[in-house]
Amino acid sequence: MGREALAEAMIPVIGRLYRENNVVTSIHGRSLINKSTMNILKAHRFARRMSNHELLLEETAPLLNALSELELGAAAIDIARLTEKYRAEGNGASLDEYLRSELAEIVGKRGADDRTSTDVVLYGFGRIGRLLARILIEKAGGGHGLRLRAIVVRKGADNDLVKRASLLRRDSVHGSFEGTIRVDEEANTITANGVQVQVIYSDNPATVDYTEYGIKDALVVDNTGRWRDADGLSQHLQSKGVARVLLTAPGKGDLKNIVHGINHRDISDDDKIVTAASCTTNAITPVLKAINDKFGIIHGHVETVHSFTNDQNLIDNFHKGDRRGRSAALNMVITETGAAKAVAKALPELQGKLTGNAIRVPTPDVSMAILNLNLEKGTTRDEVNDFLREMSLHSDLRKQIDYIDSPDVVSTDFVGSRRAGIVDGLATISNDKNLVLYVWYDNEFGYSCQVVRVMEEMAGVNPPSFPARDVIAPIAVLETAGA
């Protein structure tokens, strides 16, 4: 059977595992749910640069079929990493025998999900809010875990509901919504891939009665950025049906700024309000932690080349901030960033060691952080790149750090990346104790993925993940390949 035929045959198996067993399959963190034949082929090609061996459909297709026969319970399964582990540790066992042993925790549980369900309300439905909705709908599965129940917005027009649904359906940067969307104007709901979302109109976060809609103990995700401190955000807690609040921006005061992968375990049950920091802080903190742990950072400067945002003007007009009144579509704009200082909130050992600045550029999405670091221990370009590549594959930061060494990648190649940041290995500069790293990041989608990870941590609804541990392979020279 040819590669395209194998990939096509995998689609219904992936779908059945998802619908009947609550099993989310991926290839090195790239979800296979609702993906086309071509996207599955691309995911396999992507795997070529992520490990020492090519990922063959002749191996993954039988593995998927074997998984479908095991009556699995809910889980997240990376079939690329599982295939590599079987190849390295199978020791002559049949595929069925190996999988029954490796997945013993969930074999025979047929869709059973021990997780509780947590109601989610998106307060605000802009760029981040709509991407969060897409991710939550994608993860809906059997209804366990995070359940998107409502969005809260200020009514903007008589046909507001239709316009909100249209913006969810079509996105100029991230493409069309994968699935179906229906609008019920009488009930004021949007139903996307079977997930019914109540649209609530309000301009006061303290006066919404969510219990009227059957919502209780909800996690409210504030995407507006209007309130950044405990006093402002605590207004949400005054509304009936709200248990906790997450801000999708850097917080002020004593609020915990959480970068998943770094300090997410600091979230306690007593934390009623948590912030997910900024897109830039999420992109650079994991890389900085890795470098600091390995080589030590004396001091450094972070320069962010950031896509423009809604805060800027399309054409020259008044703006209370310096320079931001000038046309975002026509200019590079020097502005400030608090990301360098914010790193220390998640990584206290870097307190006072970083400075930062930002340049807004005329692109709609994907940004870059340039890390100019002075190290305690000298190193070489190859050593740093090999280390960061291994971190992207086999460390606790593999959901945050990605690595690429293609000579032809540009910003648009990283639209839709689910990692917090992607190290561009070919751009790395090392001169003994002076190191310069270039880190790409999708400041919209990659950040939204980090926000969802924080949400799952707050709600305690992370599904079991397999394989539980990796095969630690020796570092090899990568073949240069595109994303």
Side-chain angles (χ1 to χ4, degrees), residues 42 94 121 173 261 267 279 315 332 350 354 398 458 472:
K42 286 182 177 179
S94 70
V121 174
V173 174
I267 302 173
C279 55
I315 58 175
M332 293 189 291
L350 293 184
L354 299 174
R398 63 175 174 265
M458 293 179 72
I472 304 300

Side-chain angles (χ1 to χ4, degrees), residues 99-117:
L99 292 177
R100 286 183 180 277
S101 174
E102 182 72 15
L103 308 176
E105 177 185 338
I106 57 171
V107 170
K109 292 193 174 181
R110 186 171 175 75
D113 196 331
D114 296 332
R115 296 175 296 168
T116 57
S117 297

Side-chain angles (χ1 to χ4, degrees), residues 169-476:
R169 178 181 286 115
R170 303 174 181 88
D171 192 290
S172 300
V173 174
H174 300 281
S176 299
F177 177 82
E178 293 184 350
T180 60
I181 294 177
R182 300 194 313 274
V183 172
D184 185 335
E185 294 189 77
E186 185 175 343
N188 229 44
T189 61
I190 297 173
T191 301
N193 289 354
V195 177
Q196 183 174 291
V197 183
Q198 184 72 49
V199 179
I200 302 170
Y201 294 108
S202 175
D203 58 5
N204 189 334
T207 60
V208 183
D209 186 352
Y210 295 105
T211 62
E212 288 185 357
Y213 307 96
I215 299 170
K216 61 180 182 178
D217 297 327
L219 170 58
V220 172
V221 184
D222 190 318
N223 310 291
T224 67
R226 183 177 175 184
W227 303 280
R228 298 286 187 93
D229 58 16
D231 286 343
L233 292 167
S234 64
Q235 295 177 83
H236 290 293
L237 297 173
Q238 298 175 38
S239 288
K240 293 181 180 179
V242 177
R244 305 179 85 177
V245 181
L246 175 64
L247 171 66
T248 61
K252 296 179 180 180
D254 295 330
L255 292 177
K256 290 182 180 178
N257 279 259
I258 301 298
V259 175
H260 195 275
I262 301 297
N263 65 335
H264 59 276
R265 291 183 180 85
D266 291 346
I267 302 173
S268 72
D269 292 339
D270 294 331
D271 291 319
K272 300 303 181 185
I273 304 174
V274 172
T275 88
S278 72
C279 55
T280 302
T281 305
N282 275 267
I284 64 177
T285 305
V287 176
L288 288 168
K289 175 174 173 52
I291 294 297
N292 189 54
D293 287 350
K294 178 75 172 178
F295 305 104
I297 295 174
I298 298 174
H299 61 76
H301 178 78
V302 179
E303 192 70 35
T304 302
V305 183
H306 199 292
S307 293
F308 57 65
T309 66
N310 283 337
D311 176 64
Q312 295 171 258
N313 292 331
L314 286 175
I315 58 175
D316 290 358
N317 208 342
F318 175 81
H319 192 294
K320 63 180 181 180
D322 294 343
R323 309 186 204 237
R324 291 198 185 193
R326 302 299 300 278
S327 170
L330 296 176
N331 296 293
M332 293 189 291
V333 179
I334 297 176
T335 187
E336 71 284 346
T337 176
K341 291 182 179 179
V343 167
K345 284 195 171 185
L347 206 59
E349 55 263 41
L350 293 184
Q351 179 72 45
K353 293 186 176 183
L354 299 174
T355 58
N357 217 342
I359 304 171
R360 296 289 179 92
V361 295
T363 56
D365 185 33
V366 180
S367 302
M368 170 179 281
I370 304 168
L371 313 181
N372 196 330
L373 307 174
N374 184 242
L375 307 177
E376 294 175 358
K377 296 193 301 185
T379 185
T380 65
R381 180 175 182 264
D382 287 344
E383 183 185 16
V384 169
N385 282 347
D386 288 342
F387 168 67
L388 290 173
R389 174 181 172 272
E390 284 299 299
M391 293 296 292
S392 75
L393 286 171
H394 303 300
S395 79
D396 291 339
L397 292 173
R398 63 175 174 265
K399 290 183 179 180
Q400 284 73 42
I401 299 175
D402 204 351
Y403 177 90
I404 192 167
D405 66 351
S406 169
D408 291 315
V409 294
V410 292
S411 60
T412 55
D413 293 315
F414 303 103
V415 172
S417 171
R418 292 175 184 256
R419 306 285 183 96
I422 307 99
V423 176
D424 193 318
L426 292 186
T428 298
I429 300 171
S430 180
N431 182 12
D432 193 29
K433 294 184 179 181
N434 294 318
L435 174 66
V436 182
L437 295 172
Y438 289 73
V439 182
W440 300 95
Y441 57 106
D442 184 330
N443 49 277
E444 293 185 337
F445 196 80
Y447 174 66
S448 295
C449 289
Q450 281 286 90
V451 172
V452 171
R453 292 173 188 132
V454 175
M455 293 168 65
E456 290 174 335
E457 194 69 28
M458 293 179 72
V461 295
N462 288 303
S465 180
F466 298 94
R469 62 179 180 82
D470 281 328
V471 177
I472 304 300
I475 295 174

